[in-house]
Amino acid sequence: MKARLSTDGGARGNPGPAAYAYVLEADNGTVLAAHGEAIGVATNNVAEYRALVEGLRKAVELQVDELEVVSDSELLVHQMRGEYKVKNAALRELWEEAADLADPIGHARYPAPRRQHNELADRLVNEALDAAGS
């Protein structure tokens, strides 16, 4: 099954109260899964990676075999493409987890960072932060 995974993470303060969200859509635009969650105090980059990891976990669960990942995080996209080194220890752990989860998918693409098609994930992040009182 082909799908698109839109991810977003954010922190109010950096670090600060943080949340992540993902939206997994089938090729025809049907939303297969959407989730947003507060994760306590973290950096923006950790929240972005948590969104990717949890979205990939759901894609594997739903047996997606071709995936386009949409993220507005330039750092995440370039690191997942292997264009930037992962120097931060916390991010390296999340990067390794994301890479391991992407393996069974077979074909995961990370196009250039963009906000387009990421509105729902962005809204879920803010709702999770608001619900957590952040």
Side-chain angles (χ1 to χ4, degrees):
M1 165 177 37
K2 290 172 75 173
R4 177 174 46 225
L5 175 63
S6 298
T7 66
D8 199 15
R12 293 185 178 158
N14 200 23
Y20 73 85
Y22 67 83
V23 179
L24 186 63
E25 296 174 271
D27 210 24
N28 66 5
T30 301
V31 174
L32 303 170
H35 182 73
E37 185 175 326
I39 57 172
V41 174
T43 65
N44 286 324
N45 290 332
V46 165
E48 293 280 5
Y49 263 102
R50 284 288 305 274
L52 175 62
V53 165
E54 297 307 325
L56 287 170
R57 191 179 318 282
K58 181 55 88 172
V60 169
E61 178 186 316
L62 296 176
Q63 300 179 331
V64 170
D65 57 10
E66 190 173 332
L67 187 66
E68 177 184 58
V69 178
V70 177
S71 171
D72 63 359
S73 170
E74 182 176 332
L75 180 73
L76 180 144
V77 168
H78 288 292
Q79 286 179 336
M80 291 306 297
R81 288 176 169 180
E83 297 167 354
Y84 290 178
K85 290 183 180 180
V86 185
K87 297 176 184 175
N88 178 286
L91 293 185
R92 175 162 282 290
E93 190 174 312
L94 290 164
W95 176 84
E96 288 173 355
E97 190 173 358
D100 288 346
L101 285 164
D103 268 353
I105 291 171
H107 183 68
R109 294 185 314 111
Y110 297 85
R114 61 182 190 226
R115 282 208 173 278
Q116 181 184 3
H117 301 297
N118 222 23
E119 297 88 0
L120 179 55
D122 181 64
R123 190 181 68 198
L124 290 172
V125 166
N126 284 299
E127 287 175 2
L129 285 168
D130 291 346
S134 304

